[in-house]
Amino acid sequence: MTLERVGKDLYATGPTVEQDFLSFKEAFANAGLERLILVNGSGGDLWTGMRVARMVQDARIKTVASGFCMSACSLIFMAGQTRAFGTGHLPRATMVGIHGASSKDSKTVLLEAMPQMYALYKLQMGDKFDARIINQALYDIREAYGFLRIREIQRNQEKDRTPWFCPSSQTPFPECQQHTGQDAFTLGVVTQTETEPLTLPDNMKTQLGFFGRPLAPAASDLQDRAEALISTLCQDKFFCRNVADKVLKNYLSSNVNKAMAVGLNKPGYGFRYSDDDPGAAMLKALYSCNHASSIPKLCRLVSVNDQELLPHYLQADAQAHELLQGAHVPDEMAIKAERDEPGGGIPVKLADQNHLTGMTPKMLDGIRRMDTAELVTALKQNARPVVIDVMAAGPTIPGTLNFINAGLAFADEKRETPFEERFRRMLKEAAPDLDQPVVFYCASSECWLSVNAAMRARKIGYTQVMWYRGGLSAWVRAGLPTAHRTPVAILY
Protein backbone atom coordinates (compact mmCIF):
# COMPACT_ATOMS: atom_id res chain seq x y z
CA MET A 1 0.00 0.00 0.00
CA THR A 2 1.08 3.59 -0.53
CA LEU A 3 1.44 5.34 2.85
CA GLU A 4 1.38 9.07 3.61
CA ARG A 5 1.58 10.67 7.07
CA VAL A 6 -0.34 13.93 7.55
CA GLY A 7 -0.12 15.22 11.12
CA LYS A 8 -1.59 12.56 13.42
CA ASP A 9 -3.17 10.64 10.51
CA LEU A 10 -1.63 7.87 8.42
CA TYR A 11 -3.26 7.43 5.01
CA ALA A 12 -2.90 4.10 3.20
CA THR A 13 -4.20 3.17 -0.27
CA GLY A 14 -3.86 0.37 -2.82
CA PRO A 15 -3.35 -3.40 -2.66
CA THR A 16 -1.81 -5.14 0.37
CA VAL A 17 1.57 -6.64 -0.55
CA GLU A 18 4.33 -8.37 1.42
CA GLN A 19 6.52 -5.25 1.60
CA ASP A 20 3.76 -3.45 3.50
CA PHE A 21 4.77 -5.11 6.75
CA LEU A 22 8.03 -3.14 6.89
CA SER A 23 6.37 0.06 5.65
CA PHE A 24 3.72 -0.05 8.38
CA LYS A 25 6.29 -1.04 11.01
CA GLU A 26 8.34 2.04 10.19
CA ALA A 27 5.23 4.26 10.16
CA PHE A 28 4.02 3.00 13.54
CA ALA A 29 7.46 3.57 15.06
CA ASN A 30 6.86 7.32 14.85
CA ALA A 31 4.93 8.58 17.87
CA GLY A 32 1.70 10.53 17.87
CA LEU A 33 -0.34 8.51 15.40
CA GLU A 34 -4.09 8.61 16.17
CA ARG A 35 -5.88 7.48 13.00
CA LEU A 36 -5.18 5.02 10.16
CA ILE A 37 -7.26 6.03 7.14
CA LEU A 38 -7.65 3.28 4.54
CA VAL A 39 -8.47 4.65 1.09
CA ASN A 40 -9.67 2.27 -1.62
CA GLY A 41 -7.87 -0.80 -0.34
CA SER A 42 -8.43 -3.66 -2.78
CA GLY A 43 -6.94 -6.36 -0.56
CA GLY A 44 -4.09 -8.68 -1.42
CA ASP A 45 -1.69 -10.70 0.72
CA LEU A 46 -3.60 -12.29 3.62
CA TRP A 47 -0.69 -12.86 5.98
CA THR A 48 0.60 -9.32 5.55
CA GLY A 49 -2.91 -8.08 6.28
CA MET A 50 -3.01 -10.14 9.49
CA ARG A 51 0.42 -8.92 10.65
CA VAL A 52 -0.45 -5.28 10.00
CA ALA A 53 -3.77 -5.83 11.81
CA ARG A 54 -1.86 -6.92 14.91
CA MET A 55 0.22 -3.72 14.74
CA VAL A 56 -2.98 -1.68 14.60
CA GLN A 57 -4.38 -3.58 17.60
CA ASP A 58 -1.20 -2.93 19.58
CA ALA A 59 -1.23 0.77 18.64
CA ARG A 60 -4.85 1.09 19.87
CA ILE A 61 -5.69 3.67 17.20
CA LYS A 62 -8.81 4.52 15.25
CA THR A 63 -9.30 3.17 11.71
CA VAL A 64 -11.35 4.93 9.04
CA ALA A 65 -12.45 3.55 5.65
CA SER A 66 -12.79 6.00 2.74
CA GLY A 67 -14.06 4.36 -0.43
CA PHE A 68 -13.81 0.58 -0.55
CA CYS A 69 -11.82 -1.52 1.91
CA MET A 70 -11.91 -5.14 0.77
CA SER A 71 -10.41 -8.49 1.75
CA ALA A 72 -7.03 -8.02 3.52
CA CYS A 73 -7.84 -4.31 3.93
CA SER A 74 -10.91 -5.26 6.00
CA LEU A 75 -8.67 -7.17 8.43
CA ILE A 76 -6.55 -4.05 8.96
CA PHE A 77 -9.66 -1.88 9.32
CA MET A 78 -11.32 -4.22 11.82
CA ALA A 79 -8.20 -4.12 14.02
CA GLY A 80 -8.91 -0.50 14.99
CA GLN A 81 -9.86 0.17 18.59
CA THR A 82 -12.62 2.40 17.21
CA ARG A 83 -13.78 2.32 13.60
CA ALA A 84 -15.69 4.62 11.25
CA PHE A 85 -16.41 5.37 7.62
CA GLY A 86 -15.01 8.59 6.16
CA THR A 87 -15.84 11.04 3.40
CA GLY A 88 -13.84 11.35 0.19
CA HIS A 89 -15.88 9.01 -2.00
CA LEU A 90 -19.51 8.54 -2.93
CA PRO A 91 -21.66 7.04 -0.13
CA ARG A 92 -22.71 3.89 -2.03
CA ALA A 93 -19.08 3.28 -3.01
CA THR A 94 -17.86 3.54 0.61
CA MET A 95 -17.88 0.04 2.10
CA VAL A 96 -16.03 -2.77 3.81
CA GLY A 97 -15.83 -6.13 2.02
CA ILE A 98 -15.30 -9.33 4.01
CA HIS A 99 -14.61 -12.76 2.53
CA GLY A 100 -12.63 -15.93 3.04
CA ALA A 101 -9.04 -16.49 1.94
CA SER A 102 -8.14 -17.70 -1.53
CA SER A 103 -5.03 -18.71 -3.45
CA LYS A 104 -3.25 -15.83 -5.18
CA ASP A 105 -2.56 -18.08 -8.18
CA SER A 106 -5.62 -20.30 -8.63
CA LYS A 107 -8.17 -18.01 -6.88
CA THR A 108 -9.58 -21.11 -5.16
CA VAL A 109 -10.78 -20.96 -1.54
CA LEU A 110 -8.21 -21.74 1.22
CA LEU A 111 -10.13 -23.22 4.15
CA GLU A 112 -7.04 -23.57 6.36
CA ALA A 113 -6.67 -19.78 6.62
CA MET A 114 -10.19 -19.11 7.89
CA PRO A 115 -9.84 -19.72 11.68
CA GLN A 116 -7.41 -16.82 12.24
CA MET A 117 -9.62 -14.45 10.26
CA TYR A 118 -12.72 -15.63 12.12
CA ALA A 119 -10.98 -15.06 15.47
CA LEU A 120 -10.00 -11.49 14.55
CA TYR A 121 -13.52 -10.55 13.43
CA LYS A 122 -15.04 -12.14 16.55
CA LEU A 123 -12.69 -10.31 18.89
CA GLN A 124 -13.14 -6.92 17.29
CA MET A 125 -16.90 -7.09 16.75
CA GLY A 126 -17.46 -8.02 20.40
CA ASP A 127 -21.02 -8.68 21.53
CA LYS A 128 -22.35 -7.63 18.09
CA PHE A 129 -20.53 -10.51 16.39
CA ASP A 130 -22.91 -12.59 14.23
CA ALA A 131 -21.34 -16.00 13.69
CA ARG A 132 -23.84 -16.98 10.99
CA ILE A 133 -23.09 -13.96 8.81
CA ILE A 134 -19.31 -14.11 9.25
CA ASN A 135 -19.24 -17.86 8.62
CA GLN A 136 -21.17 -17.25 5.41
CA ALA A 137 -18.71 -14.55 4.31
CA LEU A 138 -15.69 -16.77 5.01
CA TYR A 139 -16.84 -20.24 4.02
CA ASP A 140 -19.61 -19.83 1.43
CA ILE A 141 -17.67 -17.94 -1.24
CA ARG A 142 -17.18 -19.86 -4.49
CA GLU A 143 -14.16 -17.91 -5.68
CA ALA A 144 -11.92 -14.98 -4.77
CA TYR A 145 -14.43 -12.32 -5.75
CA GLY A 146 -17.33 -13.39 -3.54
CA PHE A 147 -17.91 -10.90 -0.70
CA LEU A 148 -20.05 -9.76 2.18
CA ARG A 149 -20.32 -6.02 1.50
CA ILE A 150 -21.28 -3.50 4.19
CA ARG A 151 -21.81 0.15 3.22
CA GLU A 152 -21.43 3.29 5.31
CA ILE A 153 -24.47 4.46 7.26
CA GLN A 154 -24.85 8.21 7.66
CA ARG A 155 -24.83 9.34 4.02
CA ASN A 156 -26.76 6.36 2.60
CA GLN A 157 -30.49 5.81 2.47
CA GLU A 158 -31.78 2.98 4.66
CA LYS A 159 -32.24 0.60 1.70
CA ASP A 160 -28.57 1.04 0.75
CA ARG A 161 -27.23 0.29 4.23
CA THR A 162 -28.31 -3.37 4.22
CA PRO A 163 -25.28 -5.70 4.02
CA TRP A 164 -25.40 -8.25 1.20
CA PHE A 165 -23.49 -11.43 0.40
CA CYS A 166 -22.69 -12.62 -3.13
CA PRO A 167 -20.82 -15.96 -3.32
CA SER A 168 -19.11 -15.00 -6.60
CA SER A 169 -18.53 -12.02 -8.86
CA GLN A 170 -20.97 -13.49 -11.38
CA THR A 171 -23.88 -13.83 -8.95
CA PRO A 172 -26.67 -11.43 -10.06
CA PHE A 173 -27.50 -8.92 -7.36
CA PRO A 174 -31.12 -10.19 -6.93
CA GLU A 175 -29.67 -13.64 -6.10
CA CYS A 176 -27.31 -12.31 -3.42
CA GLN A 177 -28.50 -12.63 0.19
CA GLN A 178 -29.65 -9.41 1.82
CA HIS A 179 -29.16 -9.26 5.60
CA THR A 180 -32.24 -7.16 6.27
CA GLY A 181 -32.33 -5.38 9.62
CA GLN A 182 -28.55 -5.23 9.88
CA ASP A 183 -26.04 -2.54 9.03
CA ALA A 184 -22.37 -1.75 9.64
CA PHE A 185 -23.05 -0.59 13.21
CA THR A 186 -25.36 -3.42 14.32
CA LEU A 187 -22.82 -5.97 13.00
CA GLY A 188 -19.97 -4.31 14.89
CA VAL A 189 -18.06 -3.39 11.74
CA VAL A 190 -17.98 0.27 12.80
CA THR A 191 -18.20 1.64 16.34
CA GLN A 192 -20.03 4.83 15.35
CA THR A 193 -22.76 5.69 12.85
CA GLU A 194 -21.38 9.14 12.01
CA THR A 195 -19.14 9.53 8.96
CA GLU A 196 -15.75 11.16 9.64
CA PRO A 197 -15.02 14.27 7.53
CA LEU A 198 -11.71 13.83 5.71
CA THR A 199 -9.44 15.81 3.43
CA LEU A 200 -7.63 13.18 1.39
CA PRO A 201 -4.10 13.70 0.05
CA ASP A 202 -4.20 14.77 -3.60
CA ASN A 203 -2.78 11.46 -4.82
CA MET A 204 -5.61 9.56 -3.07
CA LYS A 205 -8.52 11.59 -4.35
CA THR A 206 -10.80 9.99 -6.93
CA GLN A 207 -9.26 10.34 -10.37
CA LEU A 208 -11.00 9.50 -13.60
CA GLY A 209 -9.48 6.70 -15.61
CA PHE A 210 -10.23 4.85 -18.82
CA PHE A 211 -9.36 1.15 -18.60
CA GLY A 212 -5.97 1.57 -16.99
CA ARG A 213 -4.98 5.02 -18.18
CA PRO A 214 -5.54 8.16 -16.06
CA LEU A 215 -7.60 10.96 -17.57
CA ALA A 216 -6.19 14.44 -17.08
CA PRO A 217 -8.64 17.15 -16.03
CA ALA A 218 -10.57 18.48 -19.01
CA ALA A 219 -9.12 21.68 -20.43
CA SER A 220 -12.61 23.05 -21.03
CA ASP A 221 -16.21 22.19 -20.27
CA LEU A 222 -17.71 19.46 -22.47
CA GLN A 223 -20.56 21.81 -23.34
CA ASP A 224 -18.03 24.13 -24.98
CA ARG A 225 -16.77 21.23 -27.08
CA ALA A 226 -20.21 19.84 -27.96
CA GLU A 227 -20.33 21.13 -31.54
CA ALA A 228 -16.91 19.72 -32.40
CA LEU A 229 -17.85 16.36 -30.87
CA ILE A 230 -21.10 16.19 -32.86
CA SER A 231 -19.21 17.03 -36.06
CA THR A 232 -16.75 14.21 -35.39
CA LEU A 233 -19.55 11.71 -34.79
CA CYS A 234 -21.98 12.73 -37.52
CA GLN A 235 -19.95 14.42 -40.26
CA ASP A 236 -22.61 16.02 -42.54
CA LYS A 237 -25.55 13.70 -41.72
CA PHE A 238 -28.45 15.97 -40.76
CA PHE A 239 -30.54 13.35 -38.91
CA CYS A 240 -27.53 12.21 -36.90
CA ARG A 241 -26.67 15.79 -35.95
CA ASN A 242 -30.25 16.50 -34.88
CA VAL A 243 -30.46 13.41 -32.65
CA ALA A 244 -26.94 13.89 -31.30
CA ASP A 245 -27.70 17.48 -30.29
CA LYS A 246 -30.72 16.36 -28.21
CA VAL A 247 -28.91 13.41 -26.66
CA LEU A 248 -25.89 15.51 -25.73
CA LYS A 249 -28.09 18.15 -24.10
CA ASN A 250 -29.70 15.43 -21.95
CA TYR A 251 -26.28 14.10 -21.10
CA LEU A 252 -24.86 17.48 -20.11
CA SER A 253 -27.79 18.14 -17.77
CA SER A 254 -27.49 14.73 -16.05
CA ASN A 255 -25.81 14.06 -12.71
CA VAL A 256 -22.40 12.45 -12.37
CA ASN A 257 -21.21 9.81 -12.58
CA LYS A 258 -22.31 9.48 -16.17
CA ALA A 259 -21.09 8.06 -19.47
CA MET A 260 -22.23 7.85 -23.08
CA ALA A 261 -21.52 5.41 -25.93
CA VAL A 262 -22.41 5.56 -29.63
CA GLY A 263 -22.71 2.93 -32.34
CA LEU A 264 -19.70 1.94 -34.41
CA ASN A 265 -20.83 1.94 -38.06
CA LYS A 266 -24.47 1.79 -36.96
CA PRO A 267 -26.80 4.46 -35.53
CA GLY A 268 -27.72 4.44 -31.87
CA TYR A 269 -26.39 5.30 -28.47
CA GLY A 270 -26.54 4.40 -24.78
CA PHE A 271 -25.92 6.45 -21.69
CA ARG A 272 -25.94 6.09 -17.93
CA TYR A 273 -26.10 8.77 -15.25
CA SER A 274 -26.17 9.15 -11.44
CA ASP A 275 -24.00 6.08 -10.94
CA ASP A 276 -21.84 5.39 -7.88
CA ASP A 277 -18.69 4.97 -9.93
CA PRO A 278 -17.50 6.37 -13.28
CA GLY A 279 -16.19 2.94 -14.32
CA ALA A 280 -19.59 1.35 -13.72
CA ALA A 281 -21.26 4.16 -15.65
CA MET A 282 -19.02 3.45 -18.65
CA LEU A 283 -19.78 -0.27 -18.62
CA LYS A 284 -23.53 0.31 -18.34
CA ALA A 285 -23.55 2.93 -21.11
CA LEU A 286 -21.64 0.56 -23.40
CA TYR A 287 -24.00 -2.32 -22.59
CA SER A 288 -27.05 -0.15 -23.26
CA CYS A 289 -25.63 0.88 -26.65
CA ASN A 290 -24.62 -2.68 -27.64
CA HIS A 291 -27.87 -4.42 -26.84
CA ALA A 292 -30.61 -2.07 -28.00
CA SER A 293 -33.34 -4.52 -29.04
CA SER A 294 -33.93 -3.02 -32.48
CA ILE A 295 -30.30 -2.44 -33.51
CA PRO A 296 -27.62 -4.57 -31.82
CA LYS A 297 -24.23 -3.08 -32.59
CA LEU A 298 -20.64 -2.60 -31.57
CA CYS A 299 -20.10 0.75 -29.85
CA ARG A 300 -17.46 3.18 -28.68
CA LEU A 301 -17.52 5.17 -25.45
CA VAL A 302 -17.73 8.87 -26.20
CA SER A 303 -17.49 10.43 -22.76
CA VAL A 304 -17.38 9.89 -19.02
CA ASN A 305 -18.50 12.85 -16.91
CA ASP A 306 -16.85 15.83 -18.64
CA GLN A 307 -14.10 13.82 -20.33
CA GLU A 308 -14.05 12.88 -24.00
CA LEU A 309 -13.11 9.27 -24.70
CA LEU A 310 -13.48 9.01 -28.47
CA PRO A 311 -9.90 10.26 -29.09
CA HIS A 312 -8.59 7.17 -27.28
CA TYR A 313 -10.31 4.92 -29.83
CA LEU A 314 -9.04 6.98 -32.75
CA GLN A 315 -5.52 6.92 -31.33
CA ALA A 316 -5.65 3.14 -30.79
CA ASP A 317 -6.76 2.61 -34.39
CA ALA A 318 -3.99 4.85 -35.70
CA GLN A 319 -1.27 3.20 -33.58
CA ALA A 320 -2.26 -0.42 -34.24
CA HIS A 321 -0.78 -0.59 -37.75
CA GLU A 322 2.51 0.97 -36.67
CA LEU A 323 2.87 -1.29 -33.62
CA LEU A 324 2.07 -4.45 -35.58
CA GLN A 325 4.42 -3.65 -38.45
CA GLY A 326 7.26 -3.41 -35.94
CA ALA A 327 6.29 -6.68 -34.21
CA HIS A 328 8.73 -9.58 -34.66
CA VAL A 329 8.07 -13.29 -34.89
CA PRO A 330 9.42 -15.12 -31.78
CA ASP A 331 12.49 -17.33 -32.19
CA GLU A 332 12.21 -21.08 -32.70
CA MET A 333 13.01 -21.92 -29.08
CA ALA A 334 10.17 -19.73 -27.79
CA ILE A 335 7.77 -21.15 -30.38
CA LYS A 336 8.64 -24.72 -29.37
CA ALA A 337 8.26 -23.96 -25.65
CA GLU A 338 4.82 -22.48 -26.25
CA ARG A 339 3.67 -25.39 -28.41
CA ASP A 340 4.98 -27.96 -25.92
CA GLU A 341 3.29 -26.40 -22.89
CA PRO A 342 1.26 -29.07 -21.02
CA GLY A 343 -2.52 -29.06 -21.36
CA GLY A 344 -5.61 -30.97 -20.34
CA GLY A 345 -8.06 -33.07 -22.31
CA ILE A 346 -10.63 -31.82 -24.79
CA PRO A 347 -13.63 -30.32 -22.91
CA VAL A 348 -17.15 -31.40 -23.77
CA LYS A 349 -18.89 -28.35 -22.31
CA LEU A 350 -18.23 -24.72 -21.44
CA ALA A 351 -16.57 -23.92 -18.11
CA ASP A 352 -18.93 -22.28 -15.62
CA GLN A 353 -18.12 -19.28 -13.44
CA ASN A 354 -16.50 -21.42 -10.74
CA HIS A 355 -13.95 -23.01 -13.10
CA LEU A 356 -12.50 -20.17 -15.17
CA THR A 357 -8.87 -20.58 -14.08
CA GLY A 358 -6.46 -23.49 -14.22
CA MET A 359 -4.76 -25.53 -16.91
CA THR A 360 -6.61 -25.25 -20.21
CA PRO A 361 -6.88 -28.05 -22.79
CA LYS A 362 -4.05 -28.84 -25.17
CA MET A 363 -6.53 -28.54 -28.02
CA LEU A 364 -10.23 -27.96 -28.73
CA ASP A 365 -12.56 -29.97 -30.92
CA GLY A 366 -13.04 -28.35 -34.35
CA ILE A 367 -11.03 -25.27 -33.34
CA ARG A 368 -7.48 -24.54 -34.49
CA ARG A 369 -5.03 -23.64 -31.76
CA MET A 370 -2.87 -20.66 -32.71
CA ASP A 371 0.53 -19.78 -31.28
CA THR A 372 2.23 -16.39 -30.97
CA ALA A 373 4.22 -16.69 -34.20
CA GLU A 374 1.06 -17.47 -36.19
CA LEU A 375 -0.86 -14.61 -34.60
CA VAL A 376 1.91 -12.07 -35.33
CA THR A 377 1.93 -13.17 -38.98
CA ALA A 378 -1.87 -13.05 -39.23
CA LEU A 379 -2.13 -9.56 -37.71
CA LYS A 380 0.47 -8.19 -40.14
CA GLN A 381 -1.66 -9.16 -43.13
CA ASN A 382 -3.98 -6.69 -44.84
CA ALA A 383 -6.86 -9.16 -44.67
CA ARG A 384 -6.31 -10.16 -41.07
CA PRO A 385 -8.74 -12.29 -39.04
CA VAL A 386 -11.13 -10.82 -36.49
CA VAL A 387 -9.22 -11.18 -33.20
CA ILE A 388 -11.26 -10.78 -30.02
CA ASP A 389 -9.92 -10.11 -26.52
CA VAL A 390 -12.50 -11.36 -23.97
CA MET A 391 -10.86 -9.82 -20.89
CA ALA A 392 -12.14 -6.88 -18.84
CA ALA A 393 -8.94 -5.09 -17.76
CA GLY A 394 -5.27 -4.58 -18.48
CA PRO A 395 -3.40 -4.01 -21.75
CA THR A 396 -4.46 -5.65 -24.99
CA ILE A 397 -2.93 -6.78 -28.30
CA PRO A 398 -2.94 -4.03 -30.97
CA GLY A 399 -5.49 -4.43 -33.73
CA THR A 400 -7.87 -6.60 -31.72
CA LEU A 401 -11.46 -6.03 -30.59
CA ASN A 402 -12.34 -6.09 -26.89
CA PHE A 403 -15.56 -7.89 -25.94
CA ILE A 404 -15.71 -7.57 -22.14
CA ASN A 405 -17.02 -10.71 -20.36
CA ALA A 406 -17.53 -12.57 -23.65
CA GLY A 407 -16.05 -15.75 -22.17
CA LEU A 408 -18.62 -16.38 -19.45
CA ALA A 409 -20.97 -19.37 -19.28
CA PHE A 410 -23.85 -20.20 -16.95
CA ALA A 411 -25.42 -23.40 -15.65
CA ASP A 412 -28.73 -21.58 -15.28
CA GLU A 413 -30.54 -21.62 -18.63
CA LYS A 414 -32.36 -18.39 -17.77
CA ARG A 415 -29.00 -16.63 -17.86
CA GLU A 416 -27.22 -18.82 -20.40
CA THR A 417 -29.77 -18.52 -23.23
CA PRO A 418 -29.95 -14.70 -23.39
CA PHE A 419 -26.18 -14.49 -22.90
CA GLU A 420 -25.56 -16.71 -25.92
CA GLU A 421 -27.94 -14.61 -27.99
CA ARG A 422 -26.04 -11.45 -27.02
CA PHE A 423 -22.78 -13.19 -27.90
CA ARG A 424 -24.17 -14.27 -31.28
CA ARG A 425 -25.33 -10.74 -32.11
CA MET A 426 -22.08 -9.06 -31.13
CA LEU A 427 -19.95 -11.61 -32.97
CA LYS A 428 -22.13 -11.17 -36.06
CA GLU A 429 -21.41 -7.45 -35.92
CA ALA A 430 -17.66 -8.13 -35.85
CA ALA A 431 -17.70 -11.05 -38.31
CA PRO A 432 -20.88 -11.08 -40.44
CA ASP A 433 -19.74 -14.08 -42.51
CA LEU A 434 -19.82 -17.44 -40.70
CA ASP A 435 -16.82 -18.50 -42.82
CA GLN A 436 -14.77 -15.52 -41.66
CA PRO A 437 -11.71 -16.41 -39.52
CA VAL A 438 -12.15 -15.42 -35.86
CA VAL A 439 -9.57 -15.72 -33.06
CA PHE A 440 -10.21 -15.56 -29.32
CA TYR A 441 -7.73 -14.96 -26.51
CA CYS A 442 -7.56 -13.94 -22.86
CA ALA A 443 -4.90 -13.62 -20.16
CA SER A 444 -2.87 -16.83 -20.44
CA SER A 445 -2.96 -20.58 -21.00
CA GLU A 446 -4.70 -20.86 -17.62
CA CYS A 447 -7.62 -18.65 -18.61
CA TRP A 448 -10.80 -20.45 -19.70
CA LEU A 449 -12.63 -17.36 -20.92
CA SER A 450 -11.15 -17.70 -24.42
CA VAL A 451 -11.90 -21.44 -24.40
CA ASN A 452 -15.55 -20.72 -23.72
CA ALA A 453 -15.75 -17.98 -26.36
CA ALA A 454 -14.12 -20.13 -29.05
CA MET A 455 -16.35 -23.11 -28.28
CA ARG A 456 -19.42 -20.88 -28.30
CA ALA A 457 -18.50 -19.39 -31.68
CA ARG A 458 -18.07 -22.90 -33.07
CA LYS A 459 -21.46 -23.91 -31.68
CA ILE A 460 -23.12 -20.88 -33.30
CA GLY A 461 -21.82 -21.99 -36.69
CA TYR A 462 -18.53 -20.23 -37.38
CA THR A 463 -16.35 -22.50 -39.50
CA GLN A 464 -12.90 -20.97 -38.99
CA VAL A 465 -12.59 -20.52 -35.24
CA MET A 466 -9.11 -20.18 -33.76
CA TRP A 467 -7.89 -20.05 -30.18
CA TYR A 468 -4.73 -18.22 -29.11
CA ARG A 469 -4.05 -20.37 -26.06
CA GLY A 470 -1.03 -18.49 -24.71
CA GLY A 471 -2.98 -15.24 -24.62
CA LEU A 472 -1.62 -11.89 -23.53
CA SER A 473 0.95 -13.53 -21.24
CA ALA A 474 2.61 -15.35 -24.15
CA TRP A 475 2.47 -12.21 -26.31
CA VAL A 476 4.21 -10.10 -23.63
CA ARG A 477 6.73 -12.87 -22.91
CA ALA A 478 7.75 -12.72 -26.57
CA GLY A 479 8.55 -9.01 -26.19
CA LEU A 480 5.69 -7.89 -28.43
CA PRO A 481 3.94 -4.50 -28.14
CA THR A 482 0.68 -3.96 -26.29
CA ALA A 483 -1.96 -1.26 -26.54
CA HIS A 484 -4.46 0.41 -24.23
CA ARG A 485 -7.86 -1.26 -23.96
CA THR A 486 -10.70 0.33 -25.97
CA PRO A 487 -13.78 -1.90 -25.54
CA VAL A 488 -16.45 -2.10 -28.21
CA ALA A 489 -18.81 -4.55 -26.47
CA ILE A 490 -19.76 -5.87 -23.06
CA LEU A 491 -21.75 -9.07 -22.81
CA TYR A 492 -22.64 -9.23 -19.11
Side-chain angles (χ1 to χ4, degrees):
M1 302 181 87
T2 299
L3 305 185
E4 183 171 337
R5 177 79 180 255
V6 180
K8 295 180 179 180
D9 293 333
L10 177 64
Y11 290 85
T13 188
T16 306
V17 297
E18 292 180 7
Q19 295 91 326
D20 288 343
F21 172 74
L22 294 178
S23 300
F24 274 99
K25 186 176 181 180
E26 181 179 345
F28 280 115
N30 296 319
L33 190 63
E34 294 183 359
R35 294 192 304 182
L36 170 61
I37 299 166
L38 299 155
V39 184
N40 287 341
S42 57
D45 187 73
L46 167 65
W47 302 118
T48 300
M50 290 293 296
R51 294 168 79 189
V52 173
R54 292 190 188 102
M55 289 186 214
V56 175
Q57 286 176 313
D58 292 341
R60 301 178 66 81
I61 60 173
K62 184 172 193 170
T63 52
V64 181
S66 175
F68 55 83
C69 180
M70 316 296 283
S71 189
C73 177
S74 76
L75 296 168
I76 300 171
F77 174 77
M78 288 302 303
Q81 184 176 33
T82 56
R83 302 176 296 278
F85 288 111
T87 60
H89 295 83
L90 291 170
R92 282 168 50 89
T94 302
M95 68 179 74
V96 170
I98 296 174
H99 70 173
S102 59
S103 166
K104 286 189 289 187
D105 299 320
S106 69
K107 306 302 181 186
T108 54
V109 177
L110 295 175
L111 294 177
E112 63 270 21
M114 308 302 190
Q116 289 190 53
M117 301 171 68
Y118 181 93
L120 174 68
Y121 291 126
K122 183 176 181 180
L123 175 66
Q124 297 300 114
M125 291 175 173
D127 58 6
K128 295 178 179 178
F129 178 76
D130 189 315
R132 178 181 60 89
I133 292 177
I134 297 303
N135 271 320
Q136 180 189 57
L138 298 183
Y139 291 98
D140 290 356
I141 58 170
R142 296 176 190 159
E143 37 95 341
Y145 305 107
F147 274 100
L148 169 68
R149 291 175 169 86
I150 310 109
R151 286 194 178 114
E152 77 154 283
I153 299 172
Q154 185 177 11
R155 297 185 298 160
N156 275 312
Q157 298 179 29
E158 186 174 351
K159 64 182 180 64
D160 294 326
R161 301 171 191 162
T162 301
W164 75 103
F165 172 74
C166 300
S168 81
S169 59
Q170 304 303 325
T171 306
F173 184 75
E175 296 179 19
C176 299
Q177 183 175 351
Q178 308 291 313
H179 290 291
T180 306
Q182 298 279 16
D183 61 29
F185 183 72
T186 63
L187 285 178
V189 174
V190 293
T191 57
Q192 66 183 59
T193 59
E194 300 82 8
T195 298
E196 295 267 302
L198 300 173
T199 301
L200 300 180
D202 289 343
N203 66 326
M204 297 187 191
K205 292 177 180 176
T206 301
Q207 296 181 342
L208 280 179
F210 181 58
F211 294 92
R213 79 207 80 168
L215 296 173
S220 60
D221 191 275
L222 184 59
Q223 188 160 359
D224 298 334
R225 308 191 302 277
E227 179 57 34
L229 178 58
I230 291 172
S231 295
T232 301
L233 292 171
C234 298
Q235 305 300 323
D236 296 323
K237 299 173 185 175
F238 174 77
F239 180 75
C240 173
R241 293 182 66 90
N242 191 38
V243 172
D245 183 61
K246 294 177 181 177
V247 171
L248 200 53
K249 284 181 180 177
N250 286 338
Y251 177 82
L252 290 170
S253 64
S254 298
N255 296 328
V256 296
N257 289 291
K258 56 188 175 182
M260 180 166 58
V262 297
L264 175 64
N265 302 324
K266 274 190 177 181
Y269 67 92
F271 80 85
R272 176 78 179 189
Y273 60 91
S274 298
D275 212 297
D276 292 334
D277 175 78
M282 285 190 282
L283 295 178
K284 291 168 185 175
L286 184 60
Y287 185 94
S288 174
C289 181
N290 289 146
H291 305 294
S293 57
S294 56
I295 311 178
K297 56 195 167 296
L298 303 182
C299 299
R300 296 179 297 185
L301 285 156
V302 172
S303 58
V304 57
N305 292 344
D306 199 39
Q307 296 279 355
E308 284 186 62
L309 300 177
L310 194 58
H312 293 289
Y313 287 85
L314 302 177
Q315 183 183 41
D317 291 343
Q319 289 180 342
H321 178 77
E322 180 182 346
L323 290 172
L324 290 171
Q325 289 310 304
H328 63 274
V329 175
D331 60 42
E332 288 297 327
M333 185 175 298
I335 293 172
K336 184 177 186 305
E338 183 179 350
R339 290 175 178 170
D340 291 345
E341 187 176 0
I346 297 175
V348 295
K349 63 178 183 178
L350 304 184
D352 65 28
Q353 60 195 31
N354 299 320
H355 302 90
L356 293 175
T357 58
M359 182 185 290
T360 54
K362 188 83 170 174
M363 62 184 66
L364 301 175
D365 188 26
I367 295 167
R368 186 163 77 82
R369 175 180 157 185
M370 181 176 270
D371 59 34
T372 303
E374 292 171 318
L375 183 60
V376 171
T377 301
L379 285 172
K380 283 174 170 281
Q381 297 173 356
N382 290 328
R384 61 192 185 204
V386 175
V387 184
I388 297 176
D389 171 345
V390 297
M391 297 181 290
T396 190
I397 295 173
T400 66
L401 297 175
N402 180 208
F403 283 19
I404 293 175
N405 293 337
L408 300 180
F410 306 93
D412 181 0
E413 282 300 316
K414 292 180 180 179
R415 295 160 68 191
E416 172 65 17
T417 300
F419 180 87
E420 183 159 299
E421 178 59 18
R422 292 195 296 271
F423 181 94
R424 184 191 67 78
R425 289 183 175 188
M426 291 299 101
L427 187 53
K428 184 179 179 182
E429 293 300 310
D433 185 351
L434 290 176
D435 294 325
Q436 198 168 348
V438 290
V439 184
F440 296 92
Y441 76 93
C442 56
S444 70
S445 59
E446 294 192 342
C447 172
W448 281 76
L449 294 171
S450 54
V451 175
N452 282 352
M455 290 176 65
R456 198 183 289 280
R458 178 69 177 168
K459 176 186 174 185
I460 288 170
Y462 282 83
T463 61
Q464 295 191 65
V465 181
M466 286 166 274
W467 170 46
Y468 177 36
R469 184 183 183 226
L472 185 67
S473 177
W475 183 269
V476 171
R477 217 166 32 240
L480 294 164
T482 60
H484 288 300
R485 185 168 301 274
T486 49
V488 295
I490 179 170
L491 278 290
Y492 186 82

